[in-house]
């Protein structure tokens, strides 16, 4: 079985998990695009945003037309997310040298840094998902700061 066929199967499974759970699509999309479709991580992040954004838009239109989405909340979360994406893609990534770090046999490139950052983000997300701490009701009423939402992504 070719890597592309396995990638399409993995994408179908990712779509099923996204549909059933309502989240975690971007957590699966980037590694699938990098490891099965042999895309560079910089390209894969763009395609991942396109794939997840398109799926979210399609399902969101139905909910917007049905009136089940609070538009102020939608804008509150989407504007900082897009601002973070634009800032990272247009200001941070072009500013980084490639390779970032070179010490003999140890070379840290932009693509490796993206995958390392993403893996740490996945570990933090999985830890918070499976942690046994109980959220109190007052934590739900807090409004997260704008700059934290910039790193959340769509």
């Amino acid at each position: 079985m070719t890597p592309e066929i396995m990638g399409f199967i993995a994408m179908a499974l990712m779509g099923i998990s996204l549909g059933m759970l309502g989240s975690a699509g971007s957590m699966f999309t980037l590694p699938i695009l990098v490891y099965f479709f042999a895309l560079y991580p910089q390209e894969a992040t763009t395609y991942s945003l396109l794939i997840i954004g398109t799926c979210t838009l399609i399902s969101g239109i139905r909910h917007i037309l049905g009136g089940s989405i609070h538009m102020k909340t939608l804008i509150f979360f989407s504007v900082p997310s897009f601002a973070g994406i634009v800032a990272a893609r247009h200001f941070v990534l072009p500013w980084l040298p490639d390779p970032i770090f070179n010490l003999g046999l140890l070379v840290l490139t932009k693509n490796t840094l993206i995958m390392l950052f993403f893996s740490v983000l996945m570990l933090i997300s999985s830890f918070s998902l499976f942690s046994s701490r109980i959220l109190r009701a007052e934590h739900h009423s807090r409004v997260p700061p704008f700059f934290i939402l910039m790193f959340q992504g769509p």
Side-chain angles (χ1 to χ4, degrees):
M1 186 178 299
T2 66
E4 290 83 12
I5 299 293
M6 292 188 321
F8 284 118
I9 292 169
M11 282 292 199
L13 293 173
M14 184 274 307
I16 291 169
S17 74
L18 182 63
M20 289 174 41
L21 301 175
S23 64
S26 60
M27 290 293 185
F28 297 133
T29 306
L30 184 66
I32 291 170
L33 291 172
V34 170
Y35 296 118
F36 289 121
F37 293 105
L39 294 176
Y40 290 109
Q42 284 182 317
E43 289 179 308
T45 56
T46 304
Y47 288 126
S48 175
L49 290 172
L50 178 68
I51 292 166
I52 299 303
T54 303
C55 293
T56 304
L57 179 65
I58 290 170
S59 66
I61 288 173
R62 184 181 58 165
H63 289 287
I64 289 172
L65 295 176
S68 63
I69 292 183
H70 190 255
M71 292 305 287
K72 287 183 182 178
T73 305
L74 174 74
I75 291 169
F76 183 76
F77 281 98
S78 62
V79 169
S81 295
F82 286 119
I85 291 167
V86 169
R89 299 294 288 168
H90 292 288
F91 301 113
V92 176
L93 282 177
W95 175 76
L96 291 173
D98 200 19
I100 295 170
F101 182 81
N102 191 351
L103 183 64
L105 296 176
L106 180 64
V107 178
L108 180 65
T109 64
K110 281 186 190 182
N111 290 323
T112 306
L113 181 67
I114 290 171
M115 294 305 286
L116 283 172
F117 178 75
F118 190 75
S119 63
V120 169
L121 182 64
M122 286 179 75
L123 287 171
I124 292 169
S125 298
S126 63
F127 178 74
S128 68
L129 178 68
F130 293 114
S131 70
S132 61
R133 65 185 169 98
I134 299 172
L135 295 176
R136 296 186 182 134
E138 62 262 18
H139 291 291
H140 291 291
S141 64
R142 284 185 36 207
V143 177
F146 182 82
F147 67 89
I148 292 175
L149 294 174
M150 286 178 61
F151 296 107
Q152 178 178 329

